[in-house]
């Protein structure tokens, strides 16, 4: 899900950037009169062919307003756009990184631990294991009920089962013990690192 959300974000940002860049370039060219100065002929019906041109003329803006289907279609399209934007916004907030973690210090006051510090500690301990090339960790959820997600890149000689067991008994257990949590749900994704085939002489 995280990979899909990241891909959607990149596509949306890329499309938005392309539209803004193209629109800004077209307005700038028309405002400076570059098409006529360079004797460059734009396609027929192209907006902003002159510095005093507009994107939509009055006739274009009112062409379909007297049709019965126009306003329902406009409202339906806008409703779909709003729903898509709300879905995108909720997707961003659902898996946000946990900034702080509440820890029971035993004195009734409690203490706050930075989520990034615990993520770095888990990643360093996991990355030091035999068979692990690198590791990344992410804390999400609520301050009183955090969830740990880790992505571990395995070395070519690594045994996935053994690495997973050492992670569970090592880095994840240490994170749970050090924070005083009774439970710390963890999702660990194992990935193989691509490497070139070794030539044997």
């Amino acid at each position: 899900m995280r990979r899909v959300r990241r891909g959607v974000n990149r596509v949306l940002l890329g499309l938005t950037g392309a539209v803004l860049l193209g629109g800004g370039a077209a307005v700038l060219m028309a405002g400076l009169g570059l098409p006529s100065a360079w004797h460059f002929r734009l396609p027929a019906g192209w907006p902003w062919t002159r510095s005093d041109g507009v994107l939509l003329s009055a006739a274009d803006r009112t062409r379909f307003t007297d049709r019965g289907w126009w306003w329902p279609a406009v409202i339906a399209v806008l409703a779909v756009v709003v729903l898509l934007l709300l879905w995108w916004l909720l997707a961003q907030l659902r898996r946000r990184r946990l900034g702080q973690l509440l820890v029971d210090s035993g004195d009734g006051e409690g203490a706050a631990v930075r989520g990034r510090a615990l993520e770095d500690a888990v990643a360093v301990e996991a990355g030091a294991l035999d068979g692990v090339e690198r590791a990344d960790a992410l804390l999400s959820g609520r301050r009183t009920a955090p969830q740990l997600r880790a992505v571990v890149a395995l070395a070519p000689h690594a045994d996935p089962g053994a690495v997973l067991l050492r992670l569970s008994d090592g880095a994840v257990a240490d994170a749970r013990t050090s924070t005083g949590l009774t439970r710390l749900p963890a999702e660990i994704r194992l990935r193989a690192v691509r490497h070139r085939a070794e030539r044997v002489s």
Side-chain angles (χ1 to χ4, degrees), residues 150-193:
V151 179
V152 177
L154 298 177
H157 65 278
D159 180 3
V163 170
L164 185 60
L165 182 61
R166 286 195 293 267
L167 282 171
S168 179
D169 295 339
V172 176
D174 291 343
R176 183 176 62 249
T177 303
S178 62
T179 53
L181 295 171
T182 56
R183 59 188 303 270
L184 179 60
E187 176 186 344
I188 300 176
R189 296 186 179 183
L190 303 178
R191 294 180 180 175
V193 176

Side-chain angles (χ1 to χ4, degrees), residues 46-90:
W46 189 267
W48 302 314
T49 54
R50 303 189 314 272
S51 59
D52 58 346
V54 294
L55 178 61
L56 292 175
S57 63
D60 292 331
R61 292 195 304 270
T62 59
R63 179 180 302 175
F64 302 110
T65 54
D66 58 344
R67 307 291 177 88
W69 56 266
W70 172 249
W71 289 115
V74 170
I75 293 173
V77 170
L78 293 178
V80 171
V81 171
V82 169
L83 289 177
L84 289 176
L85 290 176
L86 286 176
W87 170 81
W88 179 78
L89 179 62
L90 291 176

Side-chain angles (χ1 to χ4, degrees), residues 125-150:
E125 185 174 354
L129 294 176
D130 181 37
V132 175
E133 290 283 343
R134 61 182 180 274
D136 294 315
L138 174 68
L139 277 176
S140 60
R142 300 188 307 272
R143 298 174 66 185
T144 56
Q147 299 175 358
L148 178 64
R149 302 179 68 212

Side-chain angles (χ1 to χ4, degrees), residues 109-127:
E109 295 291 335
V113 177
R114 289 181 56 204
R116 185 66 64 90
L118 185 60
E119 291 172 356
D120 292 342
V122 172
V124 170
E125 185 174 354

